[in-house]
Amino acid sequence: MKRILVPLDGSDFAEQALSPAVALAVRLGAEIHLLSVVSAEPPIPFSFADEVLLRGWVDERVARRREYLERTTAGVSARSAGLRVETRVSVGKAAETIGKVAEELDVGLVILTTHGRGVIRRAWLGSTADQLLRSPGRPLLLLPPTPTGANPLAEDEVGHVLVRLDGSEAAEAALDVLPLVVPASGGARLALVNVVEEGFPFPTAYLPHAISEESVREERRKRAAAYLAAASRRVEREGVGVPETRVLTADSAAHGLLRYCEDAEVDVIALSTHGRGGASRFLLGSVADKLVRRAGVPVLVARRSSD
């Protein structure tokens, strides 16, 4: 990886991405690119803003953001000498601009907190992060709110990594991004998890029917276990670690994974935004949506490339 992109909006929330980004950049030998996006739309109706006034409003905010990024760069450089930090201020819509800059710079990872100043929150998921998840692009690391300066991806903090797989090739994109968060020490517990959705059993007094349903469920669990075993061998071959496998049973994949996260004290989740089930909620799968919103831990997302 050569570059890590960190979008900043001037808020303390957004700056919580800096410590993890710096740590990852040092470990991976990457550059950090700090991006701040200024909206082209002023907080007043366009009918009251002529072209000169609008241009002046945008220019003023661009100048302020440049000064802000210069101060931020100085702080980052003071903490990590030798780390290369580049800055950019762009004008446009936040998520769209972040995506374009990420492609232009060919970054290996985009890191941002789940909400910052001025964005509409959907549960705790900020609208900018939400839009990025729904769109194709580079791998994305979403961080829940943490104390400024904390690094939830430090080696002594990442003890248990959950990789969500569903049997589809698309979901296996999560395996490709594992080296970004799995500590180099190899001390993290790596769990490959597949949830067999069973729903609510249909009540019946007909014994052969009940036996047939249970046979089907058992066959699905066996197939899931065999699939995870193959995925585990792939992870071992690639030197990421020695994973364990878990086949869970739940009424929905999201519920099963959230329960596992809580019971097993998961520190990081890795997944793909599209797996089995297609592109529900635009390009964001419903399972990924629920995990990002509710798990309360860093979520590393492999997203599909632009067509």
Side-chain angles (χ1 to χ4, degrees):
M1 179 194 295
K2 296 181 180 179
R3 303 175 185 87
I4 294 173
L5 180 65
V6 183
L8 298 174
D9 63 2
S11 69
D12 291 340
F13 277 123
E15 290 178 12
Q16 291 173 13
L18 287 173
S19 290
V22 169
L24 282 178
V26 171
R27 177 164 70 85
L28 300 171
E31 305 170 356
I32 287 185
H33 288 252
L34 305 180
L35 169 67
S36 194
V37 181
V38 173
S39 173
E41 300 180 4
I44 57 176
F46 277 106
S47 58
F48 294 102
D50 61 25
E51 183 178 349
V52 175
L53 178 61
L54 177 59
R55 186 166 59 248
W57 182 88
V58 172
D59 289 346
E60 178 186 1
R61 276 148 185 80
V62 167
R64 289 182 180 178
R65 290 292 178 88
R66 284 177 177 158
E67 293 176 358
Y68 162 70
L69 290 184
E70 288 177 2
R71 295 193 303 271
T72 304
T73 298
V76 170
S77 299
R79 287 186 293 171
S80 184
L83 178 64
R84 182 176 178 181
V85 182
E86 301 288 340
T87 64
R88 177 184 298 200
V89 178
S90 298
V91 178
K93 296 181 179 179
E96 179 181 313
T97 304
I98 292 169
K100 288 180 178 178
V101 172
E103 292 296 326
E104 178 185 334
L105 295 176
D106 190 24
V107 302
L109 182 66
V110 180
I111 304 179
L112 72 161
T113 46
T114 53
H115 63 283
R117 177 182 305 158
V119 297
I120 301 172
R121 295 178 61 183
R122 301 180 61 254
W124 58 265
L125 179 59
S127 63
T128 299
D130 190 18
Q131 291 174 54
L132 287 172
L133 276 168
R134 295 167 181 254
S135 63
R138 304 293 167 145
L140 183 65
L141 178 61
L142 290 176
L143 303 173
T146 58
T148 301
N151 179 13
L153 296 180
E155 291 199 13
D156 57 350
E157 294 291 335
V158 182
H160 192 178
V161 179
L162 162 65
V163 185
R164 188 262 171 157
L165 299 174
D166 65 5
S168 69
E169 182 178 349
E172 291 177 19
L175 299 176
D176 299 329
V177 297
L178 278 181
L180 299 178
V181 293
V182 175
S185 63
R189 176 184 173 193
L190 185 59
L192 309 184
V193 179
N194 191 337
V195 180
V196 175
E197 299 184 37
E198 296 193 346
F200 296 100
F202 184 77
T204 178
Y206 184 51
L207 183 58
H209 184 270
I211 294 175
S212 176
E213 282 191 340
E214 178 56 32
S215 297
V216 171
R217 287 192 290 266
E218 181 60 26
E219 180 60 28
R220 292 175 63 195
R221 288 190 287 265
K222 288 181 179 179
R223 288 200 302 267
Y227 163 71
L228 289 180
S232 177
R233 290 192 291 271
R234 169 186 165 183
V235 172
E236 291 186 53
R237 287 196 302 270
E238 294 175 356
V240 179
V242 180
E244 58 189 62
T245 62
R246 289 285 185 273
V247 177
L248 308 179
T249 300
D251 64 320
S252 73
H255 290 163
L257 292 167
L258 287 168
R259 185 170 65 243
Y260 179 85
C261 286
E262 182 177 352
D263 294 344
E265 298 182 345
V266 168
D267 299 302
V268 180
I269 298 171
L271 51 81
S272 169
T273 52
H274 61 296
R276 180 162 295 159
S280 58
R281 294 193 67 249
F282 299 96
L283 292 177
L284 175 59
S286 60
V287 175
D289 181 24
K290 291 181 175 65
L291 289 176
V292 169
R293 291 205 211 184
R294 302 179 189 175
V297 298
V299 178
L300 177 64
V301 181
R303 299 187 290 159
R304 74 173 179 87
S305 301
S306 300
D307 295 330

